[in-house]
Amino acid sequence: GTFVPGAMADSLTSFGGIIFGPNGQSSLLAFVNAGASGSYGTVTEPMADDQKFPDPQVYFYQARGFSLAECYYQSIRVPYQGLIVGEPLAAPFQQPATGHWTGISSNALLSGTPQLGVQFNAADSGHPLRQVDLFVDGKFFQTPTQLAPAAGNILNLNLPGTPLAYLVPVNATLASIASNLAALVNANSPTITAVAHGDRVELKSTTSSRLGPPTALHLSLTNSPGNPAPTNSSAPHLTGSTAGTAGALTTFLNASRNAFLESPAFGIKTCNAGGTTQAGDWLQITVTKVNGTMVSLSVTNPPSPGTPWLLAAQLVGLIHSSAALQGADGVDAEVWVQGYFNVRARSPGLSAAAMQVRLSGSSTLQLSPTTATQLKDNLPDLLPRNHLYVTTGTTNLAVNFLLNTTNLADGFHELTAVAYEGSNVRTQTRITLPVRVQNSSLSATLNLLDLPASAPVQGTYHLQVASNTNLISTITLFSTGGALGSVSNQPTVTFTVIGPSLGAGLHPFYALVTTPSGLRYRTATSWGRFTN
């Protein structure tokens, strides 16, 4: 009960992946036993290389709807020294659609080439559906429909002061659209940078304050007949999509939010005091706040031998105790190794990182920085950001298709239609339908002679298959793992099933009857449960 269903939990220990044999550290199984759906650990000493562990962005991928396996795949850059244990398909944040079959009922009798229909409805406008696949008895059969980004669709991006319109070209993909959008932003916006990641564009603002929602803009789209500029006076969304010259709108651009999100990271500047010290040497730090107020703190080397590292540690202690630096507009500091220490803003974001620090001291000291420098060593983490997502498809996907039943054996089948979300997440929605095919007079039955619904796994059981004709080529019995046995030239066959060969669990049983002329019949599936 420590973790909620679907949780991923990891540690940065050296041997978290050693789950067999002695291990002086907590293994990843501790997290799994506590309820996590998956965990990662290294099986040998990884050293101080963060690429050998999941990046924290693994949770960002999970929030998009990716499965546990996909999240780890995208976040571990050097995976060969690690082990992942868990449920690979766990995806607690996926947004599946809903669907149903149209124009056909359960256990319908089909022959020839009937028309079938399915209707899928997306979870919301941000998760359109682009493709439907048909599976028969668990095997891929055909793709009734697949939508692609329509050439001529227009994607609007209302950046502050820089309204942009992108025309979807022929043969575009989600990745190519995202890449072209990033290039368009970088070429036209002086304050925003863009980087494409698959179907996603990461936007970062280089301005010192968070960008608010876009103001009312009137876009003028040239060479786009039938798409006049918006005339309403209300503030538009950051993104928008129109059909343009295409016959339908199948390409969409959505943003995580209508305004850039201020970074929660704190600005940092690494300082260093090196060289040699003598009695009476001094070290000083000057902090210039955003409002221009300057705070100077200094320490002096005592007569007893000292080192620049001790001076740095004393200076960090003064920073901790200085009342002038304790407020939200001040700084904190920490020593980490051999005279190096980090000065950190007490407030998050790019604005607070505009504070400046400078070191000065005796001539025997080697200091950095010696000029006023802002707390922006981690600048990429400080920039306000947003994300754009490119999707394709439609929110209401209705598909009618022909099913050539002559390619199937007569008898009982299960049809499964799978709809896919129109993003790189490709969340699946499945709907199944049992049907019966009959294009000939051939038929057969399967009887579980002495196999009850629940039976001891150590037993031996008998199943009988009987066809309605003596002209039989083969009768094959199938269950978990494939064919259990096959008999030739007999219209009625009794198969012996040995329980331990299948093992404990729920098992399906069905038979396939084949005639010399090539006719086939698939019996209805019966189920048996073997228990220990």
Side-chain angles (χ1 to χ4, degrees):
T2 303
F3 297 99
V4 297
M8 294 178 289
D10 312 293
S11 69
L12 294 176
T13 59
S14 297
F15 308 120
I18 297 180
I19 61 174
F20 301 111
N23 188 354
Q25 299 176 340
S26 297
S27 78
L28 57 82
L29 293 182
F31 296 101
V32 175
N33 291 335
S37 291
S39 184
Y40 173 89
T42 49
V43 297
T44 187
E45 176 55 55
M47 308 304 289
D49 187 351
D50 59 5
Q51 295 185 102
K52 297 180 181 180
F53 294 93
D55 188 280
Q57 201 166 4
V58 66
Y59 300 108
F60 171 83
Y61 298 130
Q62 187 183 49
R64 282 202 63 187
F66 285 107
S67 68
L68 184 144
E70 293 168 329
C71 293
Y72 277 127
Y73 176 81
Q74 295 178 87
S75 65
I76 305 173
R77 298 180 181 177
V78 183
Y80 64 90
Q81 290 182 328
L83 175 69
I84 301 172
V85 174
E87 169 49 61
L89 298 182
F93 293 97
Q94 66 180 0
Q95 298 289 329
T98 58
H100 61 273
W101 292 85
T102 60
I104 184 174
S105 59
S106 179
N107 294 307
L109 181 62
L110 305 179
S111 62
T113 308
Q115 179 173 281
L116 308 181
V118 291
Q119 170 72 51
F120 288 97
N121 298 312
D124 53 48
S125 60
H127 300 81
L129 307 171
R130 71 172 302 180
Q131 179 178 334
V132 173
D133 283 345
L134 176 65
F135 294 79
V136 178
D137 301 323
K139 296 182 179 180
F140 173 77
F141 192 77
Q142 67 186 63
T143 299
T145 187
Q146 186 172 22
L147 301 177
N153 285 172
I154 296 174
L155 306 181
N156 296 322
L157 181 56
N158 302 321
L159 297 179
T162 312
L164 301 174
Y166 174 75
L167 184 68
V168 177
V170 177
N171 296 326
T173 64
L174 297 180
S176 68
I177 293 174
S179 179
N180 291 339
L181 279 172
L184 186 65
V185 171
N186 291 329
N188 291 276
S189 177
T191 60
I192 297 176
T193 61
V195 179
H197 305 276
D199 63 347
R200 173 174 59 94
V201 179
E202 183 180 18
L203 301 178
K204 291 185 178 181
S205 170
T206 58
T207 58
S208 58
S209 60
R210 183 171 69 95
L211 296 178
T215 57
L217 300 172
H218 296 285
L219 304 180
S220 177
L221 304 176
T222 59
N223 300 322
S224 301
N227 288 277
T231 57
N232 61 312
S233 59
S234 62
H237 289 288
L238 184 64
T239 59
S241 311
T242 57
T245 58
L249 176 59
T250 65
T251 318
F252 303 92
L253 182 65
N254 294 289
S256 292
R257 51 188 52 81
N258 214 31
F260 278 58
L261 181 67
E262 189 73 57
S263 171
F266 295 84
I268 290 176
K269 178 58 191 175
T270 299
C271 303
N272 175 244
T276 60
T277 57
Q278 302 176 23
D281 281 351
W282 58 278
L283 175 63
Q284 177 176 282
I285 186 171
T286 300
V287 179
T288 304
K289 298 184 178 181
V290 176
N291 62 7
T293 302
M294 300 180 66
V295 178
S296 295
L297 305 172
S298 60
V299 294
T300 303
N301 193 37
S304 59
T307 66
W309 310 343
L310 294 177
L311 284 179
Q314 294 176 37
L315 192 60
V316 167
L318 281 182
I319 295 174
H320 288 166
S321 60
S322 173
L325 298 178
Q326 299 305 304
D329 62 345
V331 298
D332 200 357
E334 60 179 357
V335 179
W336 51 286
V337 66
Q338 296 185 352
Y340 286 90
F341 61 98
N342 286 336
V343 176
R344 178 177 61 84
R346 290 187 176 272
S347 293
L350 188 61
S351 299
M355 285 187 289
Q356 299 178 345
V357 296
R358 177 176 65 88
L359 293 183
S360 56
S362 300
S363 59
T364 58
L365 298 176
Q366 298 175 358
L367 307 175
S368 174
T370 57
T371 60
T373 305
Q374 295 182 336
L375 311 182
K376 295 183 178 180
D377 280 1
N378 57 335
L379 180 60
D381 295 335
L382 300 173
L383 301 178
R385 67 193 64 202
N386 207 336
H387 295 277
L388 306 178
Y389 299 97
V390 182
T391 56
T392 185
T394 179
T395 54
N396 298 303
L397 184 56
V399 181
N400 294 311
F401 59 94
L402 298 177
L403 176 66
N404 186 359
T405 63
T406 61
N407 293 328
L408 303 175
D410 284 356
F412 296 82
H413 299 277
E414 184 179 74
L415 306 182
T416 301
V418 180
Y420 302 86
E421 176 188 319
S423 73
N424 282 356
V425 180
R426 289 179 61 83
T427 295
Q428 298 180 14
T429 302
R430 301 177 178 222
I431 55 175
T432 60
L433 181 74
V435 297
R436 186 162 64 93
V437 173
Q438 197 71 54
N439 290 301
S440 71
S441 60
L442 179 64
S443 66
T445 58
L446 170 65
N447 294 313
L448 309 183
L449 296 180
D450 54 4
L451 176 61
S454 181
V457 70
Q458 295 300 327
T460 299
Y461 307 95
H462 302 86
L463 288 74
Q464 186 182 75
V465 181
S467 65
N468 67 342
T469 177
N470 292 327
L471 298 177
I472 296 300
S473 176
T474 59
I475 296 179
T476 305
L477 178 67
F478 292 86
S479 185
T480 304
L484 294 185
S486 183
V487 175
S488 302
N489 303 319
Q490 295 184 31
T492 301
V493 180
T494 299
F495 291 94
T496 300
V497 175
I498 301 174
S501 65
L502 290 176
L506 186 65
H507 300 283
F509 297 94
Y510 69 91
L512 184 64
V513 177
T514 306
T515 69
S517 62
L519 297 179
R520 296 174 300 156
Y521 189 91
R522 190 182 194 272
T523 67
T525 300
S526 299
W527 294 84
R529 184 183 298 276
F530 292 159
T531 60
N532 285 317

